Amino acid sequence: MMSEKIAFLGLGNLGTPIAERLIHSGYELTVWNRTISKTEELAKLGAKVAQTPAEAVTPGAFVISVLSNDAAVEETFTNELLEKLGKGGIHISMSTISPETSRKLSRNHQEYDVAYVAAPIFARPEAVKSGVGNICISGNADAKEKVKPVVQTLVKGVFDFGEDPGAANVIKLAGNFMIAASMEMMAEAFTMAEKNGIPRQSIYEMLTQTLFAAPIFQNYGKIVAQHTYEPAAFKLPLGLKDINLTLQTAASVHVSMPIADLLRNRFVSALAKGRENLDWGALAMGASDDAGL
Amino acid sequence: MMSEKIAFLGLGNLGTPIAERLIHSGYELTVWNRTISKTEELAKLGAKVAQTPAEAVTPGAFVISVLSNDAAVEETFTNELLEKLGKGGIHISMSTISPETSRKLSRNHQEYDVAYVAAPIFARPEAVKSGVGNICISGNADAKEKVKPVVQTLVKGVFDFGEDPGAANVIKLAGNFMIAASMEMMAEAFTMAEKNGIPRQSIYEMLTQTLFAAPIFQNYGKIVAQHTYEPAAFKLPLGLKDINLTLQTAASVHVSMPIADLLRNRFVSALAKGRENLDWGALAMGASDDAGL
């Protein structure tokens, strides 16, 4: 059991189970969230509650952020916060943000002798609870060594992608792109089967027990086969946000991604049809709609 | 060990190891192939060699076909052959052909009291040798029961998709479509990583050890990560043939498949660039070309 002070910023769907897991592992957390009511459950578990992000910080310690997008991370890590955090401080940045924002934050942190480690996580909330997720990390080598014990308490696998602070974000975006692409390909295949008189469940079972026997296909494939888009573990607008980041990251290095273009259009069309509160798996409804089902 | 007479028609890359496996399992094979030289190895193993498809057939017995396309199956199963095969005869049709052709063949076979069972196989030649492939079957229920011992000697899993003789072909096309789509999505993701300074091998290893830990991603992903498109286990023009069948099958039931459209264009462009002798994984070169790599 560890006893170390960590400021924890952002208690959304994913932030909350991550914070809980750290408390159960013995870390002393001071939590902050824009909507303060979300801190209550964690306070019961023993977390201190701060009124502002800067108040949560202990000089020279760790700060973990799990925020909703690039702008939220940039707004939260003010110069005031970085100055208080200061020398020896390390920001473990777990949000899914653009590699470019990670690189910019890293440069900005350096001015205050604060290290920045990108550490995006592959895990749905229930995967955090059972500790079966994965984290990609990148950034300063010394800082990465120091944060490894913390991130290792959260997941099964930790994968190091070198010193470029944007690298881990590239992998996270690539992975989310591939998850969405997997849902779209299953939607197209299952719809072709369905209109040939084959139950979606039959093709789902055969393919995910054999060639595609991987968690992504088994778990998301079940959603696509059965059209169960509620409750939403990861809402559709977040899927659009990630695909937009993927396309922007790809375009910035002159890479075209035609499947990602298609996925973007699927998400945009889903919003047009009022599906903003469904799971991002609801992009799969596009193939059914197009087939007149 | 069985002792049963089977006519075996078509000794290509996949037909040959299937025939070998049946001989090793004790079946008495009479083989035929358009290019007769390909029968030599099997003759050494004890197979009889026929000069024509009809000559290979024993009345009331099994015929297995592993032919290159729809036209080859239709041309091979002449009325003369079906008349000789006659009552009790069963055609186990393992080629990747369109569901529509399977349905048409099945009706035609019935006129001669011959049963037609679609039994397309998911397996590269080396997977046939090690018996780890899968077969989907569909067609007449009694005939399927009779052929199960034969197909079970070839693969790990046999999946029954009901009485529609086209159903197993739909699943086979859907599966091949999903394999090609997996290669394209990896090509796009790996190229985005590569142009962000991340080695293709690193992103390949992380994703296929975690979220995408399935044989398709591990085996084809290695080809895509390392650009090793030779030797070709399944040549690129065969990939185009299968995607064309997929699109044709989908369109016939009014299903649009935008990823399949994209894959078709990738294959067509690969042929334009002289890649007809490479493995179908070479469709992945399209993303690299488009990124100026």
Side-chain angles (χ1 to χ4, degrees):
Chain A
M1 293 287 274
M2 287 291 308
S3 178
E4 197 166 349
K5 286 180 179 176
I6 298 178
F8 196 99
L9 312 180
L11 298 169
N13 270 356
L14 207 55
T16 300
I18 293 173
E20 281 174 7
R21 202 171 169 93
L22 289 170
I23 292 170
H24 291 312
S25 301
Y27 290 98
E28 287 180 40
L29 258 56
T30 304
V31 301
W32 169 85
N33 193 62
R34 200 179 310 210
T35 310
I36 200 155
S37 60
K38 288 197 179 172
T39 61
E40 287 165 15
E41 283 301 312
L42 289 157
K44 284 181 201 159
L45 295 176
K48 289 182 192 159
V49 176
Q51 300 299 313
T52 68
E55 189 193 312
V57 162
T58 301
F62 292 158
V63 182
I64 294 178
S65 64
V66 188
L67 298 158
S68 55
N69 56 36
D70 292 51
V73 184
E74 294 191 277
E75 286 162 18
T76 303
F77 283 76
T78 58
N79 292 345
E80 182 205 352
L81 183 152
L82 292 171
E83 191 151 26
K84 184 179 174 191
L85 185 53
K87 197 171 164 62
I90 303 178
H91 174 192
I92 306 171
S93 179
M94 298 185 63
S95 318
T96 299
I97 59 175
S98 78
E100 212 36 74
T101 300
S102 264
R103 290 169 190 140
K104 193 170 131 193
L105 285 163
S106 180
R107 286 191 298 271
N108 179 238
H109 284 40
Q110 272 174 12
E111 290 176 26
Y112 298 89
D113 286 328
V114 173
Y116 177 94
V117 175
I121 183 168
F122 283 105
R124 288 196 164 212
E126 64 275 18
V128 174
K129 282 172 197 154
S130 48
V132 297
N134 291 283
I135 285 180
C136 296
I137 56 171
S138 65
N140 176 274
D142 289 341
K144 278 186 301 192
E145 277 312 303
K146 286 179 187 152
V147 308
K148 270 182 188 168
V150 179
V151 295
Q152 278 162 349
T153 63
L154 297 174
V155 289
K156 206 170 105 186
V158 177
F159 295 82
D160 189 339
F161 283 90
E163 302 241 357
D164 168 19
N169 301 106
V170 172
I171 303 299
K172 171 67 180 168
L173 292 177
N176 273 16
F177 155 70
M178 282 177 53
I179 295 171
S182 301
M183 293 192 286
E184 169 65 22
M185 75 156 87
M186 286 189 283
E188 295 183 18
F190 295 179
T191 303
M192 175 176 70
E194 182 179 355
K195 289 198 79 174
N196 268 282
I198 301 162
R200 293 170 77 91
Q201 188 68 17
S202 304
I203 181 172
Y204 158 71
E205 285 175 8
M206 188 269 159
L207 290 172
T208 61
Q209 282 169 27
T210 56
L211 290 76
F212 293 90
I216 291 301
F217 284 84
Q218 288 162 344
N219 299 337
Y220 290 96
K222 200 172 179 180
I223 292 173
V224 172
Q226 302 172 357
H227 291 303
T228 47
Y229 307 117
E230 289 176 294
F234 186 71
K235 283 191 181 177
L236 203 138
L238 295 172
L240 175 58
K241 184 209 78 168
D242 287 0
I243 280 295
N244 278 333
L245 288 180
T246 302
L247 285 166
Q248 174 192 316
T249 300
S252 72
V253 289
H254 300 166
V255 171
S256 67
M257 296 181 72
I259 293 185
D261 283 329
L262 166 64
L263 296 170
R264 183 175 183 282
N265 288 326
R266 288 290 198 210
F267 286 125
V268 168
S269 172
L271 292 181
K273 292 169 181 171
R275 294 171 184 162
E276 67 275 5
N277 288 317
L278 300 185
D279 191 79
W280 69 323
L283 81 89
M285 295 169 83
S288 292
D289 293 343
D290 289 353
L293 291 169
Chain B
M1 295 287 277
M2 286 291 308
S3 180
E4 198 166 347
K5 286 181 181 176
I6 298 178
F8 196 99
L9 313 180
L11 298 170
N13 270 356
L14 207 55
T16 300
I18 293 173
E20 281 175 8
R21 203 173 168 90
L22 289 170
I23 292 171
H24 291 312
S25 302
Y27 289 99
E28 288 180 39
L29 259 55
T30 304
V31 301
W32 169 84
N33 192 63
R34 199 179 311 210
T35 310
I36 200 156
S37 59
K38 287 196 180 174
T39 61
E40 287 167 15
E41 285 300 313
L42 288 157
K44 284 182 201 159
L45 295 176
K48 288 182 193 158
V49 176
Q51 300 298 314
T52 68
E55 187 192 313
V57 162
T58 302
F62 292 159
V63 182
I64 294 177
S65 65
V66 188
L67 297 158
S68 55
N69 56 38
D70 293 50
V73 184
E74 294 191 277
E75 286 162 17
T76 301
F77 283 77
T78 58
N79 292 345
E80 183 206 350
L81 183 153
L82 291 171
E83 191 150 26
K84 183 177 176 192
L85 185 52
K87 198 172 163 62
I90 303 178
H91 175 192
I92 307 172
S93 179
M94 299 187 63
S95 318
T96 299
I97 58 176
S98 79
E100 212 35 74
T101 299
S102 263
R103 290 168 190 140
K104 194 170 129 194
L105 285 163
S106 179
R107 285 191 298 270
N108 178 239
H109 285 38
Q110 272 173 13
E111 289 177 27
Y112 297 89
D113 287 327
V114 174
Y116 177 94
V117 175
I121 182 168
F122 283 106
R124 287 195 164 213
E126 64 274 18
V128 174
K129 283 174 198 154
S130 48
V132 298
N134 291 283
I135 284 179
C136 294
I137 58 172
S138 66
N140 177 274
D142 290 340
K144 277 186 301 191
E145 278 312 305
K146 286 180 189 151
V147 309
K148 269 180 188 168
V150 179
V151 295
Q152 279 163 348
T153 61
L154 297 175
V155 289
K156 205 170 105 188
V158 176
F159 295 82
D160 189 339
F161 284 89
E163 301 240 359
D164 168 18
N169 301 105
V170 172
I171 304 298
K172 171 67 182 171
L173 292 177
N176 274 17
F177 155 70
M178 282 177 55
I179 295 171
S182 301
M183 294 194 285
E184 170 65 21
M185 75 155 88
M186 286 190 281
E188 294 183 19
F190 295 178
T191 303
M192 175 175 71
E194 181 180 355
K195 289 196 80 175
N196 268 281
I198 300 162
R200 292 170 78 91
Q201 187 68 16
S202 304
I203 181 170
Y204 158 70
E205 285 175 7
M206 189 269 160
L207 290 172
T208 61
Q209 280 168 29
T210 56
L211 292 75
F212 293 90
I216 291 300
F217 284 85
Q218 288 163 343
N219 299 339
Y220 290 96
K222 199 172 179 181
I223 292 173
V224 173
Q226 302 172 358
H227 292 303
T228 46
Y229 306 116
E230 290 175 293
F234 187 69
K235 283 192 182 178
L236 203 137
L238 295 171
L240 175 59
K241 183 208 79 170
D242 286 0
I243 281 295
N244 278 333
L245 288 180
T246 303
L247 285 166
Q248 173 193 317
T249 300
S252 73
V253 289
H254 299 168
V255 171
S256 68
M257 296 180 73
I259 293 186
D261 283 327
L262 166 63
L263 295 171
R264 183 176 182 281
N265 287 326
R266 287 290 198 213
F267 285 126
V268 168
S269 172
L271 293 181
K273 292 170 181 169
R275 294 171 184 161
E276 67 276 4
N277 288 316
L278 300 184
D279 191 80
W280 68 324
L283 81 90
M285 295 169 84
S288 292
D289 293 343
D290 288 354
L293 290 170

